[in-house]
Amino acid sequence: MPAGVMIPARNMPSMITGNGSVSGYGTSSGLTLGQQPNNVMEGQLHPLEMTQNASESEIARMRDEEFDSTNKSGSENHELGGSGDDQDPRPNKKKRYHRHTQHQIQEMEAFFKECPHPDDKQRKELGRELGLEPLQVKFWFQNKRTQMKTQHERHENTQLRTENEKLRADNMRYREALSTASCPNCGGPTAVGQMSFDEHHLRLENSRLREEIDRISAIAAKYVGKPVVNFPLLSSPAPPRPFDFGSQPVTEEMYGVGDLLRSISAPSEADKPMIIELAVAAMEELVRMAQVGEPLWMTSLDGTTCMLNEEEYIRTFPSGIGPKPTGFKCEASKETTVVIMNHINLVEILMDVNQWSTLFSGIVSKASTLDVLSTGVAGNYNGALQVMTAEFQVLSPLVPTRESYYVRYCKQHAEGTWAVVDVSLDTIRPSPTVRCRRRPSGCLIQEMPNGYSKVTWVEHVEVDDGGVHNLYKQLVSSGHAFGARRWVSTLDRQCERLASLMASNIPTGDVGVITNQDGRKSMLKLAERMVISFCGGVSASTAHTWTTLSGTGADDVRVMTRKSVDDPGRPPGIVLSAATSFWLPVSPKRVFDFLRDEHSRSEWDILSNGGAVQEMAHIANGRDPGNCVSLLRVNSANSSQSNMLILQESCTDPTASFVIYAPVDIVAMNVVLNGGDPDYVALLPSGFAILPDGMTVTDVGMADSGGSSGSLLTVAFQILVDSVPTAKLSLGSVATVNNLIACTVERIKASLSCDNA
């Protein structure tokens, strides 16, 4: 197939099947190692081979039979008769059936979508093209219409049954409420019929809102020094989530827990009034810091960043969580952007720990909610209070993660204006292991026309960064690793991705674009899980135990192992992760463009074995052409080698870029492209995290090739070294992975050095 040929959605499965032998759906996909460590040690790396369980003809036959079993009325017909009134007058004679081919069925299915009631001329033309009699075509369309009608009626029955159950439950609830209703004037019991259903419902809602107002008033009273009542623990459910980010949030990627997070539990009743007071004070501080400029914030010499005047900050906010601990450094930054998301949806995402950690999976390695002190008022998050823990990361094993224990408070300040603030609770529960304190940090969200929102982000932390490797010192100290610009750039890119997920007006003229809405959603959901899995296993998290292998100084390779058992999203067995980080004297944009381009993949990808790589399909998910999800095909130079598919997501913003990919099973991808459930596709993602070196502040991460900025590149592989989870890791497997990652690094350096020269 020539590179770039457009693949229509309905023909995608047959074209993907191609020349290769494939394994069954649900089989393990990922990088695997052969059992020849000696050869690999000598540099003889073998490409991936897909298990040959079934020939192409057998797969076609099984699909045909599967289709027949569910659509007998459309795939089996009497040979020139056998429908409705035309019954065979000889009942003792055995009827003959004609089984349509897969091609005939696909063509008639496609024609049915455009014209379910063809006339005689159309039936004759279609029959001539497919080698069928017009009567056979007529019977197939009759049966298909009957089948569609039956399915539609069944779906309507299900909906009506669900609505009926809901109405019955509402009826029972209202009856129960009426039985306990009281007169608003005298307080006595109310007889049935004295109060309408709607009136009683409004009274109940009014009573609930009055209780919530009293609760918020208690918070304010505590803040100004008036008596305060005990703040009760609420356990009512949170408002519905606006988006489905997939079934596997970041918190499920945890492979262990750090010392700080392990020692923290939900706050006691005695702590809650102090937490409320701290949250209200933090909210006031955040809003003021977001709205004021000089002298609190000073603009850098190049005019691109805001720096905090620490002396002015201490004068403006003398109270708070106390003085800066000895040996800690202050990191404070402010950034404003406009994102393509409704302000209410954005607030709901920030207040849902799973959605928040998924949206910022490149920054948040794990997070959890320990306690909910308030769910908010009037059915939204106004006044919501949550006690949380989180671990923040840079995608490199050379930068320690930052653990934090804090309260998150959400408040509506005016119509269309909201704020969400975090502040550490270390003063309430001191811990000797604390290495990071969050002073009031968060964002001010303002409603904009056409579904946009203006976001002003303030990030203010005090941290002990003594464990950061020298290679990343400048990036971290400049604030570009964890600062406000990193947060808003990630938010802007992810909002564009969500907008593309919900888009329905996909242009059909571009080559290779997937226009099938269900197929787009399934493929983006699978790619999202791949990115989360990659980000959750690359950093120096407290959940990981890295072992350093001897390397060439700064390019040391770090490895760790974990077992994969009973996880449909990963192949079972022993998984070996390997990662290394190093500096390149070229801009991050140059590195990103080189690694994401399928035409240059053979220059660094050893496992492609020099074969040509072509993009079969892609989904654009942002303004930058580098933000897309692609399905690549590796055509091996060895004719006996079966072809391989690679799912790849590339994403870039002014602060970071990623190229993440995983080998995928051909049959499983056919299911995904047709809108099937992607949760059972096994993935072992590998890839690259590309960060600026922090030496320049001018448009960080997007300098052109002539700029002086360099790049910090992290290369990470995940490889299935044994399909038996109880097996022991061999030294040969470790040596093989070490050799693989070292060769990949050398190829990248050689290619980019030639380009730079």
Side-chain angles (χ1 to χ4, degrees):
M1 178 191 303
V5 175
M6 178 178 179
I7 304 173
R10 63 186 176 89
N11 290 334
M12 183 71 74
S14 60
M15 297 195 70
I16 288 180
T17 304
N19 301 323
S21 299
V22 296
S23 56
Y25 175 64
T27 57
S28 301
S29 296
L31 303 182
T32 56
L33 294 176
Q35 303 298 322
Q36 298 179 354
N38 295 331
N39 293 341
V40 176
M41 289 294 292
E42 298 173 3
Q44 300 179 10
L45 293 172
H46 298 281
L48 297 179
E49 294 186 4
M50 306 186 73
T51 307
Q52 299 183 357
N53 293 332
S55 66
E56 182 175 314
S57 61
E58 290 174 333
I59 291 177
R61 177 180 57 78
M62 288 189 293
R63 287 181 176 173
D64 198 2
E65 291 177 354
E66 180 182 357
F67 185 90
D68 292 341
S69 65
T70 58
N71 302 277
K72 288 186 177 180
S73 61
S75 62
E76 291 185 358
N77 287 293
H78 292 259
E79 186 179 318
L80 296 181
S83 174
D85 301 330
D86 300 327
Q87 296 297 326
D88 193 335
R90 294 168 294 177
N92 295 329
K93 183 176 180 180
K94 185 177 180 181
K95 298 179 181 179
R96 292 182 299 164
Y97 287 86
H98 173 79
R99 184 183 299 277
H100 298 318
T101 66
Q102 187 71 19
H103 171 70
Q104 291 171 337
I105 294 171
Q106 288 179 348
E107 291 299 317
M108 287 191 288
E109 289 275 6
F111 195 94
F112 183 84
K113 293 179 181 179
E114 301 175 1
C115 179
H117 293 273
D119 55 24
D120 292 338
K121 182 178 179 182
Q122 291 173 317
R123 289 197 295 266
K124 290 179 182 179
E125 183 66 22
L126 186 59
R128 183 165 54 253
E129 292 177 0
L130 301 178
L132 296 173
E133 293 294 333
L135 199 56
Q136 291 178 286
V137 177
K138 176 182 178 181
F139 292 148
W140 190 92
F141 274 83
Q142 287 178 347
N143 294 334
K144 184 66 176 178
R145 288 193 297 269
T146 302
Q147 177 193 358
M148 297 300 293
K149 181 179 178 181
T150 303
Q151 291 178 352
H152 180 68
E153 291 175 349
R154 186 181 300 116
H155 179 67
E156 284 186 341
N157 289 338
T158 303
Q159 286 184 321
L160 291 173
R161 189 178 298 110
T162 303
E163 291 176 2
N164 191 25
E165 292 295 332
K166 182 179 178 181
L167 290 173
R168 183 180 292 108
D170 289 342
N171 189 21
M172 293 296 294
R173 188 172 74 251
Y174 287 140
R175 286 180 180 275
E176 183 179 356
L178 277 177
S179 65
T180 58
S182 60
C183 175
N185 297 324
C186 65
T190 301
V192 177
Q194 287 185 267
M195 186 185 301
S196 67
F197 283 114
D198 291 341
E199 183 181 359
H200 184 72
H201 183 68
L202 289 174
R203 290 183 184 278
L204 291 176
E205 180 70 10
N206 192 29
S207 176
R208 189 185 69 82
L209 291 177
R210 188 177 293 111
E211 292 177 0
E212 295 291 355
I213 292 172
D214 292 341
R215 186 174 295 112
I216 298 302
S217 299
I219 298 176
K222 176 64 178 177
Y223 178 55
V224 298
K226 297 179 181 179
V228 63
V229 296
N230 286 333
F231 197 79
L233 172 64
L234 302 180
S235 58
S236 45
R241 297 167 56 174
F243 298 106
D244 181 12
F245 277 89
S247 60
Q248 299 200 9
V250 174
T251 49
E252 293 186 7
E253 293 291 330
M254 295 171 57
Y255 307 117
V257 180
D259 294 335
L260 173 63
L261 302 187
R262 187 185 297 111
S263 63
I264 292 175
S265 58
S268 64
E269 290 294 329
D271 291 336
K272 290 175 183 177
M274 291 183 289
I275 293 175
I276 296 167
E277 180 178 359
L278 188 61
V280 173
M283 176 62 72
E284 181 182 352
E285 179 176 322
L286 172 74
V287 173
R288 291 180 62 186
M289 291 187 70
Q291 292 177 338
V292 303
E294 296 182 351
L296 183 63
W297 293 100
M298 301 179 297
T299 306
S300 60
L301 296 178
D302 57 7
T304 59
T305 57
C306 288
M307 298 177 295
L308 182 67
N309 184 337
E310 291 192 55
E311 294 181 357
E312 183 66 23
Y313 172 78
I314 294 174
R315 284 195 298 268
T316 308
F317 306 103
S319 58
I321 60 175
K324 180 171 61 178
T326 304
F328 279 44
K329 293 182 179 180
C330 174
E331 293 180 10
S333 54
K334 182 174 73 169
E335 196 75 24
T336 300
T337 191
V338 176
V339 299
I340 181 171
M341 180 176 287
N342 176 275
H343 65 293
I344 297 297
N345 290 340
L346 184 53
V347 168
E348 290 178 340
I349 290 175
L350 295 177
M351 296 305 294
D352 184 305
V353 66
N354 287 337
Q355 294 189 77
W356 171 69
S357 54
T358 298
L359 193 74
F360 296 102
S361 58
I363 307 175
V364 182
S365 58
K366 57 177 178 277
S368 62
T369 300
L370 298 180
D371 205 348
V372 178
L373 303 185
S374 173
T375 57
V377 299
N380 57 41
Y381 282 105
N382 185 19
L385 274 163
Q386 301 175 359
V387 177
M388 305 174 62
T389 61
E391 186 180 65
F392 306 100
Q393 66 179 350
V394 171
L395 293 187
S396 170
L398 302 182
V399 182
T401 54
R402 298 177 174 183
E403 296 174 305
S404 187
Y405 169 56
Y406 58 95
V407 60
R408 175 165 292 179
Y409 178 36
C410 177
K411 182 180 179 182
Q412 182 179 8
H413 290 269
E415 185 66 29
T417 301
W418 292 71
V420 178
V421 66
D422 298 342
V423 62
S424 283
L425 298 177
D426 307 316
T427 54
I428 294 177
R429 192 175 300 183
S431 171
T433 60
V434 172
R435 298 175 53 196
C436 176
R437 295 203 311 171
R438 288 180 70 76
R439 286 192 176 271
S441 303
C443 59
L444 185 66
I445 305 168
Q446 296 170 282
E447 181 182 12
M448 299 285 285
N450 302 320
Y452 284 76
S453 299
K454 180 182 178 182
V455 179
T456 302
W457 200 289
V458 174
E459 195 68 17
H460 188 188
V461 299
E462 294 166 343
V463 63
D464 175 12
D465 62 355
V468 178
H469 193 278
N470 289 334
L471 204 60
Y472 284 82
K473 281 280 189 185
Q474 184 63 32
L475 176 67
V476 174
S477 62
S478 65
H480 293 130
F482 294 97
R485 193 177 193 194
R486 179 86 180 90
W487 287 92
V488 298
S489 296
T490 303
L491 176 63
D492 186 27
R493 172 172 53 81
Q494 290 284 52
C495 286
E496 287 187 358
R497 192 184 196 278
L498 285 173
S500 69
L501 174 63
M502 296 182 293
S504 57
N505 54 341
I506 309 300
T508 58
D510 297 338
V511 176
V513 174
I514 299 176
T515 57
N516 178 8
Q517 189 70 11
D518 292 336
R520 286 173 59 87
K521 288 184 178 180
S522 294
M523 188 167 170
L524 284 173
K525 186 178 178 182
L526 180 61
E528 180 184 72
R529 176 161 64 85
M530 176 179 69
V531 172
I532 292 174
S533 178
F534 175 83
C535 294
V538 176
S539 68
S541 170
T542 53
H544 304 155
T545 303
W546 291 100
T547 301
T548 303
L549 304 179
S550 58
T552 57
D555 296 348
D556 288 343
V557 176
R558 288 163 173 79
V559 298
M560 68 173 174
T561 60
R562 65 176 183 272
K563 295 180 180 180
S564 176
V565 182
D566 296 331
D567 186 351
R570 291 192 185 94
I574 302 295
V575 177
L576 179 63
S577 299
T580 186
S581 299
F582 56 96
W583 180 78
L584 285 170
V586 291
S587 70
K589 188 178 187 307
R590 293 268 320 274
V591 179
F592 174 69
D593 289 340
F594 169 74
L595 292 174
R596 77 177 181 87
D597 189 355
E598 70 272 15
H599 300 297
S600 59
R601 189 181 187 96
S602 59
E603 297 183 36
W604 58 264
D605 189 359
I606 299 173
L607 297 174
S608 67
N609 199 29
V613 180
Q614 63 182 128
E615 184 185 73
M616 300 184 64
H618 74 272
I619 302 174
N621 54 18
R623 289 167 294 182
D624 193 297
N627 288 326
C628 69
V629 176
S630 305
L631 188 62
L632 308 176
R633 184 171 192 157
V634 180
N635 299 313
S636 175
N638 182 1
S639 59
S640 64
Q641 175 73 22
S642 58
N643 293 333
M644 177 175 63
L645 290 183
I646 295 175
L647 178 67
Q648 174 177 293
E649 174 153 359
S650 59
C651 49
T652 183
D653 60 56
T655 61
S657 303
F658 308 98
V659 178
I660 302 169
Y661 62 92
V664 289
D665 182 77
I666 295 179
V667 177
M669 280 309 300
N670 282 336
V671 175
V672 171
L673 290 169
N674 284 315
D677 186 0
D679 290 343
Y680 295 95
V681 180
L683 291 176
L684 276 183
S686 301
F688 308 93
I690 310 156
L691 301 174
D693 58 10
M695 299 302 292
T696 61
V697 294
T698 338
D699 201 12
V700 176
M702 300 302 290
D704 58 24
S705 57
S708 59
S709 65
S711 304
L712 297 172
L713 178 62
T714 296
V715 182
F717 287 112
Q718 291 190 84
I719 298 178
L720 186 69
V721 295
D722 201 306
S723 58
V724 180
T726 57
K728 294 184 177 180
L729 183 66
S730 67
L731 293 178
S733 298
V734 176
T736 299
V737 174
N738 189 27
N739 190 20
L740 172 65
I741 202 168
C743 290
T744 302
V745 169
E746 289 304 316
R747 287 192 177 193
I748 293 174
K749 287 182 176 180
S751 297
L752 290 174
S753 296
C754 291
D755 292 344
N756 198 39

